[in-house]
Amino acid sequence: MTGNYAIIGEAQRRLPDEATIAAIRARYPVEPEIDAVLTRKMHRRHGPGYIPAALERLVEGIGALVTARVGYPVEVADARWLGGGASKLQVLFDLKWRGLNAKEPRVDTLVLRMEPSASITESSRYREFEVLEAVQGVIPSPKPWWVDGDGTFLPYPALIYGFVTGVAKPSYDAGKVTGLGQNYGPELRARLSGDFIGMLATLHRIDVHGISGMAHFARPEVGSNQAAIWRVNALRRVWEEDRVEEEPVLEVVYRWLIANAPPLDHVSIVHGDYRSGNFLFDEEAGRITAWLDWEGASLGDRHQDLTYAAMPSFSHYDEDDTTLLASGMMSATDFYAAYEKASGLPVDPIRLTYYGVFNRYLIAVLTIGAAARASRTRGTHQDVLVNYLIGLGWGALAELRDYFMGAVA
Amino acid sequence: MNLDLDVQLQVALRALEDTVAPALGGAEKHVVEQFHLALLTLRFVHGRLPDMRRYARMELDACLALARESIAAAGSAPALADAVGAAEVVRADPAADTAGVEQAARRLRDEVTALASATSDPAIAARLDRLVLEAGEAMIGQARQWASPFGFELRPDDLPAPAW
């Protein structure tokens, strides 16, 4: 036997019983917190789907959460919806309070980030909160204030972090290029690429053994391939729980990813979604002001971030239509060389290939599998957007198949 | 039928495009975004609805072909052979509805995958995997063509022509 495959029907995906949930958990072991998140997702399928939350209800929940944490009443003012992202609800608001030490009155502009009932990326608010804590002062990112990881105060699990300034796109038309990735234009890309590479190098060099937090992250060991197995199994489990129909190519790839999982040579904080479009910048200064979307972070192999940033989906061709620019910055070859120089960590071609397959597998699973199920179960606040993203899926699957066949040839 | 589905979608789309869209000028960004995505989705349905049955039967044919090749490669595959038998009955039935055709294709997808995963002979397993990967090119290509109205394809003209 080379696999551990079992057929489960649509009825069990739609309304899974405990035996089905337990069987899937046993087949695809993952980190404890990821297990908790995915198991909660399956239990929610017996519920009503996403129930739209009125802004007033969220304001009430924010107030209750912060009051409970600081120990005195606070005021939440000027709350309004904040757009951006396909997976989480966000509310911008002003918090009128007296700080953690209950002294001088102050006003802080903060963001509530709450998950809906189902999501294209099921993730843990505890982990998102903890990784943001871990990178404070090292990587520009929103300051995490409070987390309601189990949805005690808010309708669904949520966290509150600081509002960060910057823009995601240039204010001018950077010109027409071929490709899906964000085009910053030649001048801005040259100025941003230093931060793009330098911050990734800094992130991956953080000494994770010196971090006392990150309690909801399992800690892999150097020399073990456990981190890769966890990550692959997490995606395989999502595919098992969410797919509408089987895509046999994905099982072939899954078995290869398990059989070829490389051992870690260095434990890094892996952002998991490090790419163009996921950072804010100061256009005038040409500097990155904040990295966003840390929900997919893990402790693992830096090559996951490296190959993700260079995915064709996040790239475009340069103005001469000859060179594919990784995340709109530079060629993948130049990107890897610059990263190696900045970080002092080696870039291994074998691991690049492995995580190139992994990240293509990830995109296919999340689009064809998770997005399809989340919208089908009326699980989100924007099913029509999540459903739309399924349209990306077959291009991603074709890209995975082609890349995989090249990798194993 | 007077209330044919094509016209129902056409009139709804026209109302949304000509009357509702211009009135959304001051709406919040996420409202406008969801409105345009809803329009795009309805246009997709409007364009693809006439081909839905043909597409489902084409997919079933592709799954049947892969299943038969897989059985030949494996030598023995009782569960997949059962699925092939059931799919052939559906395929031969001109009255079979689209949901039944889709169901038969999905069962084949499951059983083909299960066979390749459970085979203990490494040589046969490798052959089955190769069949899956090779068949994947055409099957995924057609799925991309089907989804192309969503606008994600960089070069839609390079996709294989519809085979449905």
Side-chain angles (χ1 to χ4, degrees):
Chain A
M1 296 282 286
T2 56
N4 193 15
Y5 193 82
I7 295 173
I8 65 170
E10 170 63 14
Q12 281 302 328
R13 285 201 179 85
R14 189 104 194 171
L15 292 171
D17 59 28
E18 291 301 326
T20 300
I21 295 171
I24 294 173
R25 293 175 66 196
R27 275 205 298 281
Y28 306 112
V30 297
E31 292 180 66
E33 178 64 5
I34 301 298
D35 176 37
V37 166
L38 295 177
T39 302
R40 183 170 64 205
K41 170 192 73 177
M42 294 296 268
H43 286 142
R44 276 185 187 155
R45 293 206 178 142
H46 293 271
Y50 173 68
I51 299 171
L55 202 52
E56 295 74 20
R57 166 70 184 89
L58 300 185
V59 167
E60 182 186 314
I62 293 166
L65 168 62
V66 179
T67 296
R69 295 289 189 264
V70 300
Y72 62 85
V74 300
E75 183 185 344
V76 178
D78 200 17
R80 61 270 194 205
W81 295 109
L82 186 64
S87 64
K88 303 290 171 288
L89 294 99
Q90 300 192 117
V91 175
L92 185 64
F93 64 95
D94 288 338
L95 181 67
K96 297 181 178 178
W97 63 316
R98 289 184 283 121
L100 294 174
N101 53 11
K103 288 189 175 169
E104 294 303 311
R106 56 188 278 186
V107 179
D108 286 283
T109 302
L110 305 174
V111 175
L112 171 77
R113 189 167 151 81
M114 186 180 79
E115 61 193 55
S117 175
S119 174
I120 186 170
T121 51
E122 293 290 347
S123 57
S124 162
R125 302 285 67 72
Y126 285 121
R127 283 169 68 110
E128 186 175 13
F129 187 86
E130 290 168 3
V131 74
L132 281 167
E133 282 187 319
V135 301
Q136 287 305 295
V138 183
I139 306 293
S141 52
K143 175 180 168 57
W145 282 98
W146 301 282
V147 60
D148 182 19
D150 299 312
T152 303
F153 299 94
L154 288 142
Y156 298 97
L159 61 83
I160 291 172
Y161 61 37
F163 179 68
V164 285
T165 57
V167 295
K169 297 178 181 177
S171 59
Y172 52 86
D173 180 358
K176 184 171 172 52
V177 290
T178 306
L180 294 175
Q182 172 66 48
N183 176 22
Y184 300 101
E187 189 190 336
L188 186 56
R189 95 172 52 117
R191 298 162 74 203
L192 290 175
S193 59
D195 277 352
F196 189 86
I197 293 162
M199 289 172 183
L200 186 61
T202 301
L203 174 69
H204 289 165
R205 287 191 59 85
I206 291 174
D207 176 14
V208 299
H209 299 292
I211 297 172
S212 57
M214 300 186 80
H216 290 82
F217 289 77
R219 294 187 177 246
E221 296 293 327
V222 166
S224 161
N225 65 1
Q226 188 63 65
I229 301 278
W230 281 330
R231 300 299 300 142
V232 174
N233 268 342
L235 291 173
R236 180 61 184 84
R237 184 166 159 187
V238 167
W239 180 246
E240 190 72 3
E241 294 168 344
D242 290 3
R243 70 172 180 257
V244 173
E245 61 187 20
E246 184 59 277
E247 292 289 347
V249 167
L250 288 180
E251 189 66 11
V252 176
V253 173
Y254 167 70
R255 282 187 271 112
W256 182 89
L257 285 167
I258 292 294
N260 292 278
L264 271 178
D265 64 344
H266 175 90
V267 182
S268 292
I269 294 178
V270 175
H271 181 283
D273 202 3
Y274 198 95
R275 61 173 172 84
S276 57
N278 263 351
F279 61 81
L280 301 179
F281 59 93
D282 179 327
E283 189 171 314
E284 197 172 322
R287 302 297 306 266
I288 291 175
T289 56
W291 276 95
L292 308 173
D293 285 354
W294 293 81
E295 63 179 298
S298 62
L299 295 177
D301 193 315
R302 61 193 177 278
H303 296 82
Q304 182 184 332
D305 276 341
L306 282 168
T307 48
Y308 189 82
M311 286 277 286
S313 308
F314 312 128
S315 302
H316 65 78
Y317 281 92
D318 66 6
E319 287 66 24
D320 296 332
D321 212 20
T322 54
T323 304
L324 192 63
L325 303 176
S327 282
M329 297 293 161
M330 59 185 68
S331 74
T333 305
D334 289 347
F335 171 52
Y336 298 148
Y339 168 88
E340 203 165 36
K341 188 176 177 188
S343 68
L345 296 166
V347 174
D348 173 16
I350 292 174
R351 288 180 171 88
L352 285 179
T353 300
Y354 180 85
Y355 282 100
V357 173
F358 171 88
N359 279 316
R360 286 164 175 83
Y361 180 75
L362 176 147
I363 300 289
V365 165
L366 295 187
T367 50
I368 305 174
R373 182 61 59 182
S375 51
R376 193 167 278 238
T377 55
R378 304 175 183 219
T380 84
H381 57 301
Q382 43 187 359
D383 291 346
V384 72
L385 170 60
V386 175
N387 178 73
Y388 167 70
L389 294 176
I390 305 168
L392 269 169
W394 285 278
L397 186 58
E399 161 74 14
L400 168 65
R401 175 195 165 276
D402 294 349
Y403 186 87
F404 178 73
M405 290 186 78
V408 300
Chain B
M1 178 192 280
N2 188 312
L3 287 169
D4 53 282
L5 301 181
D6 179 72
V7 175
Q8 305 316 301
L9 285 166
Q10 175 190 305
V11 299
L13 279 164
R14 183 150 190 235
L16 294 170
E17 288 166 344
D18 293 357
T19 307
V20 180
L24 286 177
E28 287 187 52
K29 192 179 164 189
H30 73 278
V31 173
V32 175
E33 180 183 70
Q34 291 212 21
F35 175 80
H36 285 292
L37 288 171
L39 264 185
L40 182 69
T41 306
L42 287 172
R43 283 195 205 109
F44 172 81
V45 173
H46 189 220
R48 289 302 191 213
L49 196 56
D51 293 332
M52 191 174 76
R53 180 178 165 80
R54 278 190 294 277
Y55 184 84
R57 293 176 83 84
M58 177 211 68
E59 269 208 318
L60 179 57
D61 287 346
C63 290
L64 267 169
L66 174 59
R68 289 179 186 126
E69 287 183 79
S70 298
I71 291 170
S76 172
L80 181 54
D82 279 354
V84 167
E88 286 172 337
V89 170
V90 172
R91 185 67 183 84
D93 179 4
D97 62 21
T98 303
V101 174
E102 287 175 343
Q103 194 55 41
R106 285 174 180 168
R107 185 176 165 198
L108 289 170
R109 286 171 176 271
D110 283 341
E111 294 294 354
V112 163
T113 311
L115 177 65
S117 298
T119 302
S120 55
D121 183 326
I124 293 176
R127 211 175 307 149
L128 290 170
D129 285 352
R130 178 58 57 175
L131 284 173
V132 164
L133 291 167
E134 287 173 353
E137 181 173 15
M139 293 171 74
I140 297 166
Q142 290 300 312
R144 291 175 74 180
Q145 178 65 258
W146 182 257
S148 62
F150 278 115
F152 288 111
E153 292 292 343
L154 285 181
R155 296 184 172 93
D157 293 342
D158 291 349
L159 291 176
W164 57 85

